[in-house]
Amino acid sequence: MTASSSSLSPTLSTVLHSSGVRSAVALLAFAVVGVTGCAQAEPLAAPGTTGPSNTGGLVLSTGFSDASQLGRSAPTGIRTSFGPVVTSAGQNLVGVVRLAAGEQHSLALGHDGRVLAWGANDDGQLGNGSRGPSATPAYVRAPDGAPGQLTGVTDIAADSNTSVALRKDGTVVVWGRDNSGQRGNADITPDPLTPSVVLNPSGTGPLTGVRAISVDGGSELALTDQGTVLGWGDNTYGQLGSSAPAVAKLPVAITGAGRAPLTGVRAIAIGGQHSVALLGDGRVVAWGRNEVNQLGDGTTTGRNIPREVLVAPGKPLMGATEISSAEKHTLALLKDGTVVGWGRNNGGQLGDGTLKTRAFATQVRGRGKDPKLVGVQHVVAGEGYSVAVLTNGTIMTWGANGRGQLATGDRSDRSKPGPVTVENGVPPPSWVTAIGAGRRHLLIALR
């Protein structure tokens, strides 16, 4: 799965005047530093026109909250419109530059490179040294028994009960579930309660030189500075390629035909036991599980070797600039600002106006009778739903909505993109800079 945001530079003295939202003064002791880059694609650009600056990385949430993953009150366990995440001090969470979400937990990366987590914690996915849930954001601990908090983080990812962080030194930290080698450190301890550093393929030291991360609950991918890809964890369906064992407890290079390393990769994504890579020339390749066409090659045949995603028989998808995968579907943003999707479509998550599974990359439609969704700068796939950020900073959602995750004000699915709603007194999400798509809940941050 994928999460992204642009660089932000508000300060904690920012007061949220908009529509009666409470002041965020002295909310958290964030040291304000620039954070740039994106886990699995190009950085999310700021809106092209001047927008409001008084939201300061304000985080909003919607959807299911059976384990407090919304970070705010949800008397019925469901919210169907966006409202602010609240800290233990009763203030709105601000100063956030990245977001990620798993099955029942949420992560936020602050300006100072520290990570906050809240929600369920059965497998230690909050990284706080316990299995106790947290209804409010709390800092993730330092890895491998070091004192203090996890610092120096530039990006985060989450799925199921697993959390991952990329640090500015190119190392990777994992916490949460460890039932299939997800820690990438050869440790066989079930679900350690504190984070740990991923080791290199030989296990002799930390994995370094990583520039992007992606996580599926049982497997992880890392994109290196050289444009190669490493994977670790579960490989039951070949999602880690042909050179990895059934369970890879240390990182293994993703290989193609003849076990040659996959090279020239620009971005990565993994979801539902299938992996996807965006190549430098705009083509997309996929491998792993394929029972509902999630590999986009026109078949339902799984494989452990990357193969091109197609738009029609014999016609490769071209011109992609970003990718995002969830449980059984993938989205690709094209250089003309349109979006295509493939795989399962039972909730309308492919946005083509139907509920038909698609074996080839298929155009996401626009609102009303518009044949294409246009003007898109960022896409995120959630489990059974999808999100797009437009060039003006607004967002659109589509797909499954049984727990209010689309923020439509109701719980009706929709098979084409549409607008979102906010609760009374909440700033409209007109300048979205980060997205975290969980299983049944959605997080956004405002500029």
Side-chain angles (χ1 to χ4, degrees):
M1 301 183 70
T2 306
S4 174
S5 72
S6 66
S7 301
L8 301 175
S9 57
T11 67
L12 280 183
S13 61
T14 300
V15 178
L16 305 182
H17 296 297
S18 298
S19 305
V21 175
R22 287 171 296 182
S23 170
V25 176
L27 169 60
L28 293 170
F30 283 142
V32 179
V33 296
V35 181
T36 61
C38 168
Q40 291 128 317
E42 294 299 302
L44 176 57
T49 57
T50 301
S53 60
N54 64 347
T55 49
L58 174 71
V59 181
L60 306 179
S61 63
T62 187
F64 202 24
S65 196
D66 59 332
S68 299
Q69 59 263 46
L70 291 189
R72 64 189 179 102
S73 165
T76 66
I78 295 174
R79 291 283 192 173
T80 60
S81 297
F82 281 118
V85 171
V86 180
T87 71
S88 58
Q91 300 290 342
N92 297 323
L93 177 60
V94 297
V96 169
V97 297
R98 297 284 190 273
L99 292 165
E103 182 173 351
Q104 295 175 298
H105 76 290
S106 302
L107 304 178
L109 173 61
H111 279 285
D112 63 351
R114 292 185 292 172
V115 180
L116 291 156
W118 62 96
N121 196 29
D122 306 66
D123 296 323
Q125 60 263 46
L126 300 188
N128 60 15
S130 76
R131 296 190 193 279
S134 178
T136 56
Y139 285 110
V140 174
R141 291 176 57 173
D144 296 326
Q149 298 157 353
L150 176 62
T151 60
V153 175
T154 59
D155 221 333
I156 50 178
D159 191 35
S160 187
N161 290 3
T162 303
S163 305
V164 186
L166 174 63
R167 296 191 290 189
K168 60 185 178 183
D169 62 1
T171 62
V172 179
V173 177
V174 181
W175 60 100
R177 184 175 292 170
D178 190 27
N179 62 338
S180 59
Q182 296 100 312
R183 290 297 183 106
N185 64 355
D187 188 2
I188 59 174
T189 303
D191 306 335
L193 295 182
T194 54
S196 54
V197 174
V198 175
L199 299 181
N200 59 33
S202 64
T204 57
L207 177 65
T208 59
V210 175
R211 64 173 177 171
I213 51 175
S214 187
V215 56
D216 175 21
S219 314
E220 280 88 56
L221 297 179
L223 175 61
T224 73
D225 291 333
Q226 288 73 41
T228 60
V229 183
L230 299 170
W232 60 92
D234 179 46
N235 192 34
T236 302
Y237 296 95
Q239 63 265 43
L240 301 184
S242 59
S243 297
V247 174
K249 296 179 181 179
L250 289 168
V252 177
I254 304 299
T255 56
R259 297 201 170 186
L262 179 64
T263 59
V265 177
R266 176 180 173 185
I268 53 174
I270 185 171
Q273 300 90 40
H274 74 287
S275 301
V276 187
L278 171 62
L279 305 183
D281 60 3
R283 291 178 298 132
V284 177
V285 295
W287 63 100
R289 196 171 186 178
N290 196 27
E291 84 279 16
V292 286
N293 304 115
Q294 56 264 54
L295 299 188
D297 65 348
T299 77
T300 56
T301 302
R303 60 176 180 275
N304 60 9
I305 295 176
R307 183 175 175 180
E308 288 179 329
V309 173
L310 308 175
V311 296
K315 186 177 180 181
L317 172 65
M318 301 292 291
T321 60
E322 183 179 279
I323 52 175
S324 181
S325 293
E327 181 63 17
K328 301 294 181 183
H329 80 291
T330 297
L331 302 174
L333 174 64
L334 306 185
K335 60 185 178 182
D336 63 359
T338 63
V339 182
V340 294
W342 58 93
R344 178 175 283 176
N345 196 27
N346 58 324
Q349 59 263 48
L350 298 187
D352 65 351
T354 78
L355 300 180
K356 297 178 181 179
T357 295
R358 298 296 185 180
F360 300 104
T362 303
Q363 197 79 55
V364 173
R365 296 186 59 181
R367 295 181 62 182
K369 296 183 179 180
D370 294 342
K372 296 180 180 181
L373 180 63
V374 298
V376 178
Q377 67 160 332
H378 182 53
V379 291
V380 173
E383 187 172 330
Y385 68 101
S386 302
V387 186
V389 182
L390 306 185
T391 52
N392 63 4
T394 62
I395 69 169
M396 303 188 80
T397 60
W398 62 96
N401 192 32
R403 296 295 184 269
Q405 59 265 46
L406 299 188
T408 59
D410 58 31
R411 294 167 58 183
S412 299
D413 298 351
R414 60 185 179 195
S415 60
K416 293 194 298 182
V420 299
T421 61
V422 296
E423 296 175 358
N424 290 335
V426 177
S430 299
W431 306 97
V432 175
T433 56
I435 294 173
R439 183 180 182 186
R440 297 289 184 271
H441 72 291
L442 178 63
L443 309 170
I444 61 174
L446 306 184
R447 191 171 78 179

